[in-house]
């Protein structure tokens, strides 16, 4: 039977690559994001793919509830939710960071992810079938200067994913947290508020992961046998590793 996947943040980067990957596999797609021109561009490339595109800001609980309530016939049984919409804003130290940036990251990466999960889970539990795939980050495990609230939101995603598994142990629902490292998308342009030169510098001299790499992993975790749950995937490009612990000396 044709399966249905709901992807948040499908207008760019990982989410868009996931939409394209699952379209190739013949899934029904629910694609969401705030930029409607991007959603239109994305869906116009497919002729035979059943797709439901929804303009959605994941921070808006009423809009999330309405989206789930108003899913059209054929799209109501969501088999996979990819909680991908998210962002980092700024790279300043905690004493200098913009509080509004912190609010936006918390509202999007934590609250938005919770809204989608809470609204789609009851139907999954009723059907005893489903898969929640959260896009965390290595920043949720390994601290780095300026990662402050962004990393903390992804640490939330890690623990929330684990706690979902404990709540759902009596069901066949799977929960996966995918934690990528350095990946080239619009992520850094957003982080630096549109400063393309700063964003390009992040990837200079590296071979980062690509959105296609992440989409392959998202597809893989859905394709293992139903009794197998890939709980966590931590993935970095070969050019990246965890830094050493730091010591500041006064001499
Ligand atoms: P992009 O900036 O390319 O894509 C982010 C997507 O999130 C866009 O489609 C954007 O859509 C959507 N989005 C942002 N805010 C909202 C919102 N309030 N409501 C709805 N959609 C929103 O970045 P990536 O593809 O790289 O990032 C995807 C996820 O992966 C994020 O959660 C990010 O934290 C995580 N990640 C990224 C890494 C990287 O190095 N790139 C590494 C590890 C994790 P729109 O603007 O149209 O709403
Ligand atoms: C994105 C990866 O290292 O830029 O989540 O925080 S990193």
């Amino acid at each position: 039977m044709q399966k249905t996947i709901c992807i948040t943040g499908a207008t760019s980067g990982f989410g868009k690559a996931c939409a394209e990957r699952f379209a190739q596999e013949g899934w029904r797609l629910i694609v969401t994001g705030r930029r409607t021109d991007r959603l239109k561009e994305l869906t116009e490339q497919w002729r035979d793919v059943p797709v439901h595109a929804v303009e959605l800001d994941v921070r808006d609980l009423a809009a999330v509830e309405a989206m789930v309530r108003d899913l059209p016939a054929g799209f109501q049984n969501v088999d996979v939710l990819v909680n991908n919409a998210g962002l980092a804003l700024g790279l300043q130290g905690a004493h200098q960071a913009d509080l509004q940036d912190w609010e936006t990251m918390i509202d999007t990466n934590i609250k938005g992810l919770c809204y989608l999960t809470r609204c789609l889970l009851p139907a999954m539990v009723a059907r005893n079938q489903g898969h929640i795939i959260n896009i965390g980050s290595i920043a949720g495990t390994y601290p780095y200067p300026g990662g402050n609230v962004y990393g903390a939101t992804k640490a939330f995603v890690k623990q929330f994913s684990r706690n979902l598994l404990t709540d759902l142990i009596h069901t066949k629902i799977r929960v996966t947290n995918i934690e990528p490292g350095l990946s080239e998308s619009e992520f850094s342009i957003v982080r630096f508020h549109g400063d393309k030169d700063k964003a390009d510098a992040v990837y200079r001299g590296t071979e980062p992961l690509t959105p296609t790499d992440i989409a392959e992993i998202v597809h893989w975790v859905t394709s293992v046998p139903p009794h197998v749950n890939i709980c966590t995937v931590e993935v970095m490009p070969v050019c990246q590793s965890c830094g050493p612990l730091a010591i500041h000396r006064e001499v």
Side-chain angles (χ1 to χ4, degrees), residues 136-139 144 150 154 180-183 187 191 240:
S137 167
I138 58 161
Y144 60 83
Y150 176 67
K154 295 302 188 178
L182 185 77
S183 317
F187 177 83
R191 170 169 245 170
Q240 189 171 35

Side-chain angles (χ1 to χ4, degrees), residues 42-57:
L42 181 69
T43 56
E44 275 176 359
Q45 64 178 304
W46 300 313
R47 281 176 184 274
D48 303 323
V49 180
V51 55
H52 177 54
V54 187
E55 178 185 356
L56 181 72
D57 186 328

Side-chain angles (χ1 to χ4, degrees), residues 9-15 33-35 56-59 84-87 108 135-137 150 154 180-183 185-187 190:
T11 53
S12 167
F14 300 170
R34 293 166 301 177
R35 287 170 288 180
L56 181 72
D57 186 328
V58 296
R59 295 170 296 179
N84 165 74
L87 76 175
T108 311
I135 306 297
S137 167
Y150 176 67
K154 295 302 188 178
L182 185 77
S183 317
S185 63
E186 292 176 20
F187 177 83
V190 172

Side-chain angles (χ1 to χ4, degrees), residues 88-89 185-200 202-203:
L89 289 171
S185 63
E186 292 176 20
F187 177 83
S188 293
I189 299 174
V190 172
R191 170 169 245 170
F192 297 121
H193 296 280
D195 186 332
K196 178 95 172 53
D197 291 341
K198 260 190 178 174
D200 287 347
V202 172
Y203 308 106

Side-chain angles (χ1 to χ4, degrees), residues 1 7 18 21 34 42 110 116 123 143 145 154 158 162 168 182 194 218 232:
M1 229 208 27
I7 303 166
C18 286
R21 183 70 179 85
R34 293 166 301 177
L42 181 69
I110 297 182
L116 265 295
K154 295 302 188 178
K158 180 199 292 287
R162 289 175 174 157
L168 295 167
L182 185 77
V218 172
T232 308

Side-chain angles (χ1 to χ4, degrees), residues 82-87 105-114 117 132-141 149-165 175-180 231-233:
V82 184
N83 270 320
N84 165 74
L87 76 175
M105 289 187 279
I106 291 166
D107 288 348
T108 311
N109 303 357
I110 297 182
K111 292 170 73 177
L113 180 140
C114 289
T117 305
I132 310 271
I133 300 175
N134 293 326
I135 306 297
S137 167
I138 58 161
T141 306
V149 165
Y150 176 67
T153 66
K154 295 302 188 178
F156 175 94
V157 173
K158 180 199 292 287
Q159 196 61 11
F160 184 57
S161 304
R162 289 175 174 157
N163 280 333
L164 279 174
L165 274 175
V175 181
T176 302
N177 181 27
I178 298 177
E179 304 185 318
C231 302
T232 308
V233 179

